[in-house]
Amino acid sequence: MPRTGRLLGAGRAADVYEIDEAWVLRRNREGWGDATAEGVVMEHVRAHGYPVPRVRLTDSTRTDLVLERLYGPTMLHACLSGALDPAEAGGTLAGLLRELHTVPGRTSAGSRVLHLDLHPDNVVLTPDGPRVIDWTNAEEGEPGLDWGMSAVILAQVAVGDAPLAGPARSMLGALLADPSDLTGDGLAEALRRRAANPTMSRRETGLLGDAGELIRELVSSGS
């Protein structure tokens, strides 16, 4: 097990610790997820040219994932600081989804790798371009579900009363501007999964109805 240093960041279900200038350790809380399985998915998509951090699988366990240390702001922080236009961020998310869905699944013939949590805080803008992090929820399946999850995450913010509501709506409009692979079934399943997510607050789940309506409105109007 690599020796860890200071705490670099904390999310809903994991903490990230410094190892050195090149590597970090992400430690899941309360047995959340399977870090080794997540690392295998990351290495699979990276082998197909997808922009993710490198992983040291031999130093990882079910709870601890050793991965490349990335330098740069998240897409969310770049938008908050004014360094990135929200509509540009939404377009980048759409491009990352399309690129990901060219990667074949590892176990199911005809399936595609799905991230299922691709949003602005899970994209780090490095000097070499965007890198996608946090593959805890990754599965194989139909791309429509992945589009649905990203759209619902943005729409929940867009229909709320937080200062990010306006930028989130711009991101969502850009995400759905080019005819996407979002499907009715994918959206319905995304809404169901978000409602069942144990890390979400009652206030967040209460926004799902309005979020779904906003997505359908943007899709029907061509964003």
Side-chain angles (χ1 to χ4, degrees):
M1 178 68 61
R3 180 171 302 195
T4 60
R6 63 190 175 98
L7 179 69
L8 296 176
R12 294 194 188 203
D15 302 304
V16 178
Y17 296 91
E18 178 182 58
I19 295 177
D20 55 35
E21 293 184 355
W23 299 94
V24 297
L25 182 142
R26 197 205 65 203
R27 176 163 291 153
N28 294 345
R29 297 196 207 105
E30 301 175 357
W32 182 268
D34 184 338
T36 300
E38 181 180 352
V40 169
V41 174
M42 293 173 69
E43 285 295 275
H44 173 69
V45 298
R46 192 171 75 86
H48 284 79
Y50 196 73
V52 297
R54 291 175 293 147
V55 173
R56 282 179 12 201
L57 285 174
T58 55
D59 291 326
S60 300
T61 68
R62 184 177 178 84
T63 58
D64 293 351
L65 183 64
V66 177
L67 65 163
E68 179 184 2
R69 185 171 183 174
L70 301 180
Y71 291 89
T74 65
M75 182 182 284
L76 175 61
H77 288 160
C79 287
L80 289 173
S81 70
L84 181 65
D85 179 75
E88 183 180 351
T92 298
L93 287 175
L96 288 168
L97 282 170
R98 291 194 180 91
E99 184 179 355
L100 176 60
H101 299 152
T102 66
V103 179
R106 295 174 52 250
T107 61
S108 302
S111 68
R112 291 292 181 263
V113 177
L114 313 180
H115 185 279
L116 299 181
D117 199 22
L118 187 51
H119 57 73
D121 213 23
N122 278 340
V123 179
V124 179
L125 303 178
T126 77
D128 297 322
R131 302 276 194 94
V132 178
I133 61 172
D134 196 352
W135 292 76
T136 303
N137 297 334
E139 294 179 9
E140 296 178 11
E142 294 296 325
L145 175 58
D146 222 0
W147 282 88
M149 293 298 292
S150 291
V152 169
I153 291 168
L154 291 176
Q156 280 179 280
V157 180
V159 299
D161 56 6
L164 271 174
R169 187 182 180 108
S170 295
M171 288 183 208
L172 179 62
L175 178 77
L176 301 174
D178 192 10
S180 72
D181 292 316
L182 177 65
T183 62
D185 287 345
L187 176 56
E189 178 63 9
L191 288 166
R192 186 195 69 77
R193 291 191 183 203
R194 289 291 285 177
N197 188 328
T199 69
M200 290 182 54
S201 67
R202 181 175 299 180
R203 182 191 67 80
E204 288 173 314
T205 56
L207 296 171
L208 286 170
D210 289 341
E213 287 304 312
L214 175 59
I215 293 166
R216 296 182 188 98
E217 174 188 324
L218 290 174
V219 170
S220 64
S221 67
S223 300

